[in-house]
Amino acid sequence: MENIFNNPYSISYPEIIAIGSDDSSKIELIEKFDCIGGAMWAGNHYRKSPLTESVRVVGNTQRFMLSTGCVDLELEGSYFPAGICGAEISGDEIEISYKGMGGGGVGASVCRSTAKGVIKSSSEPCGGGKVAGSTITLPKMQRVVIGIDDTDTAEEGATWTLAHNISKAVEDENSRYLSHTIVQLFPVPYRTKNCVAIACEFATREPEKLMNRFEELVRKYTLSEETGLCAFSGFDTSPLRKYGEQVKAGEVGPAEFEEIRDLLEIRIEGRGIIGAAAAIPFYTDYEEALKI
């Protein structure tokens, strides 16, 4: 208890992760939180920054889609007390700058500068009525979304649980497990039962190592001869969306899959590859993913 109150007027975000686009024009900032009130307050106000394109909550994370650049924030108590004022990509690092007043200044400075994932930071004195901020430096990560389908049989297994357990097992300091999405597909006659595929999202600095380890564990534990496993590496999965919608709407064969093959890294090409690829563009889009 004593350690908790070394500074009773500060908390630390559990982890902050940043994914950069290939052209360095966009950053997805992913903040894990354990104080939901503080996170929702930040999301409400940080969306007002000119650099913020969107804000959404996924599980215990809040995601800010940012345009790169630096801006001056015209802060105003109660109405716009805090925001993101800088988002820059430099080589293999990303810098995010926050600014806030009062309690918003506490969140904008020490609460984020002490988070896991921060390489280095600079913070201004905060608290009371002060205006304060911080700049944190994070490793530039890339997004990898792994699609998997058909690892079970009519007698045993469940692909969604295997995918989650493998994702947890392969996670390390250089590959962070971000999300798990069950995607409802068109119920084809040869389905096991519910006809779903899984998309598992990672932020990583070692994509090849991540995919190798994931494949190794799938091959070890799959119960099916028809397993499909593939991965998309990149900032934006939208080029796969039309194909994914086709697989959700009706039975799709190899010809349609061939049209998107070059966008993917194919690891295991059983019949389940059609559903595995279709799951990828629906990662974290839970409402659409679960529709039938």
Side-chain angles (χ1 to χ4, degrees):
M1 183 66 71
E2 183 180 344
N3 290 335
I4 294 175
F5 290 109
N6 281 343
N7 185 349
Y9 289 104
S10 173
I11 65 171
S12 180
Y13 274 69
E15 185 173 12
I16 302 177
I17 296 164
I19 299 173
S21 65
D22 292 337
D23 64 1
S24 296
S25 66
K26 294 186 185 300
I27 296 167
E28 184 165 28
L29 180 69
I30 302 168
E31 297 185 340
K32 292 187 178 181
F33 58 82
D34 60 11
C35 177
I36 191 169
M40 296 306 102
W41 185 94
N44 178 64
H45 292 295
Y46 285 19
R47 71 175 66 250
K48 302 169 188 175
S49 167
L51 299 178
T52 304
E53 296 183 7
S54 65
V55 181
R56 62 196 181 108
V57 174
V58 179
N60 67 337
T61 69
Q62 189 152 227
R63 297 182 175 217
F64 300 87
M65 188 64 71
L66 306 174
S67 298
T68 53
C70 295
V71 295
D72 291 325
L73 300 180
E74 296 182 5
L75 299 180
E76 182 181 0
S78 301
Y79 297 99
F80 183 25
I84 294 171
C85 57
E88 299 181 284
I89 299 175
S90 178
D92 59 358
E93 294 182 344
I94 289 176
E95 286 190 349
I96 305 294
S97 297
Y98 306 82
K99 184 74 74 173
M101 54 175 53
V106 176
S109 54
V110 295
C111 291
R112 287 177 168 83
S113 62
T114 55
K116 179 179 179 179
V118 174
I119 299 171
K120 59 184 177 181
S121 67
S122 59
S123 297
E124 298 170 336
C126 62
K130 299 184 184 75
V131 174
S134 70
T135 295
I136 62 173
T137 301
L138 304 161
K140 179 186 176 184
M141 309 285 263
Q142 70 180 82
R143 192 186 329 276
V144 170
V145 185
I146 295 176
I148 182 171
D149 193 14
D150 205 343
T151 65
D152 52 4
T153 70
E155 291 74 35
E156 57 182 328
T159 298
W160 74 275
T161 52
L162 180 63
H164 176 64
N165 287 330
I166 290 176
S167 295
K168 290 173 67 177
V170 301
E171 184 178 33
D172 59 22
E173 291 303 308
N174 292 311
S175 293
R176 309 304 293 156
Y177 175 31
L178 298 180
S179 69
H180 173 289
T181 307
I182 298 174
V183 182
Q184 178 65 57
L185 306 176
F186 182 78
V188 293
Y190 44 84
R191 67 190 185 276
T192 304
K193 196 65 176 179
N194 292 316
C195 203
V196 299
I198 311 301
C200 295
E201 178 200 13
F202 294 84
T204 183
R205 287 183 285 180
E206 298 178 335
E208 194 67 18
K209 179 180 176 182
L210 166 68
M211 288 184 276
N212 287 344
R213 181 63 174 145
F214 203 104
E215 178 187 353
E216 176 188 346
L217 291 174
V218 171
R219 290 188 181 276
K220 180 176 180 179
Y221 289 105
T222 185
L223 302 171
S224 171
E225 297 295 324
E226 297 294 345
T227 300
L229 179 68
C230 59
F232 178 90
S233 182
F235 194 74
D236 181 7
T237 63
S238 61
L240 293 169
R241 184 72 179 217
K242 180 180 178 182
Y243 168 81
E245 290 172 349
Q246 288 177 318
V247 179
K248 286 175 68 65
E251 187 169 352
V252 168
E256 290 86 352
F257 175 75
E258 289 301 316
E259 295 179 5
I260 52 94
R261 174 187 286 275
D262 290 345
L263 299 174
L264 300 165
E265 182 166 340
I266 311 299
R267 290 305 184 102
I268 305 176
E269 196 169 348
R271 186 171 60 197
I273 195 65
I274 290 175
I280 288 172
F282 292 96
Y283 81 95
T284 72
D285 188 0
Y286 296 103
E287 185 173 348
E288 290 299 317
L290 296 171
K291 284 182 179 177
I292 186 170

